[in-house]
Amino acid sequence: ILRIGEEQDLTNVPYDSLLGHISPAMKLAAIKENCSEQGCNDTFRYGQTTFAVRYDRFKDDDGKDVGIIIIMQDITERQKLEDMQTDFVANVSHELRTPLTTIKSYTETLLDGTLDDRETAMRFLSIVDSETDRMNRLVRDLLRLSRLDHKQEKWTIKECNILALLNAVITKVDITARQKQLRLNVLYAEGQDIRVLIDRDSFEQVLMNVLSNAIKYTERGGHIDIDAFVKNSLVHICVRDTGIGIPETELPRIFERFYRVEKARSRAMGGTGLGLAITKQIVEEHGGTIEAASKEGEGTTITIKLPLATKRGMRNIE
């Protein structure tokens, strides 16, 4: 914690040169003053590390001060978890408040007499319906994450040809891609049979999330390459787009809950900010991994790796 080598002689080293530089609250004078009546607790950051510290005076049998005892604990991971929980609650509150505010304001306007104007009333009701759907998606995604977190998700694991599922998902998103004049390039050979053990419905959501994001963040006229191949007993599914890309500094955080690279734009596009977090957890529950590579302005590549299903032996081999 103090970054002191075992060979360093501390015999005549003053306290402040050891701990006083870590935090103003850790200087000897401050500690003496703070624990003059009773022990104290404190939390502070030093570099990338968060410490919890407790200290108090201790006395000899005659009640005279002998010294000060200090207990330091590295709580960096615990602090990260607490910060994530705080951010999560704040984000949920914000995401729910926004559509609720819209629904409330449009409903009040309708009640104030706008119902008499049918055209305006229908437009307002359409907005209320859209915001309700948005809240529904958010609550559904939150419940899914909660089940995944607490290992309560019920899986129906069956052997499946992953390419057949991928083809079905590509067919579903093809219309959306055509509307944006995007070209979907299927690079794997048709008719292959790559078997994996998955919950088909959950993995359809995974593939749908990845392809929908590629379409959403690729400008009109671009293209999306979709490939699948086997390497080292793993099936690799790669979705590469020519979209807006992700800044390198943001890349490690894209699988975090509610994290958006462009918050206003993502929210306007109807996302809950939970899609990739759910995707990552589903993939990992299947023993796989998901990775992202991107350059801002040059597009993004999402790669999913899944273990192949164990091949069964053939009967009556001579």
Side-chain angles (χ1 to χ4, degrees), residues 168-178 184 208 211-212 215:
V169 173
I170 291 170
T171 301
K172 288 182 179 180
V173 301
D174 186 56
I175 294 175
T176 308
R178 288 176 185 272
L184 299 180
M208 187 70 77
L211 282 169
S212 296
I215 292 169

Side-chain angles (χ1 to χ4, degrees), residues 245-252 261 294-296:
I246 302 166
E248 190 176 346
T249 54
E250 311 276 352
L251 205 53
V261 177
S294 185
K295 284 189 177 180
E296 194 170 7

Side-chain angles (χ1 to χ4, degrees), residues 95-107:
E95 294 293 336
L96 286 172
R97 189 190 307 118
T98 304
L100 276 172
T101 302
T102 304
I103 291 169
K104 177 70 173 172
S105 59
Y106 278 97
T107 304

Side-chain angles (χ1 to χ4, degrees), residues 246-281:
I246 302 166
E248 190 176 346
T249 54
E250 311 276 352
L251 205 53
R253 300 192 61 189
I254 66 169
F255 294 105
E256 291 181 16
R257 300 168 188 194
F258 289 114
Y259 189 77
R260 293 181 171 98
V261 177
E262 292 185 69
K263 293 179 174 58
R265 179 170 179 169
S266 299
R267 199 170 282 118
M269 290 179 172
T272 63
L274 297 173
L276 283 178
I278 292 173
T279 296
K280 186 175 189 287
Q281 286 203 234

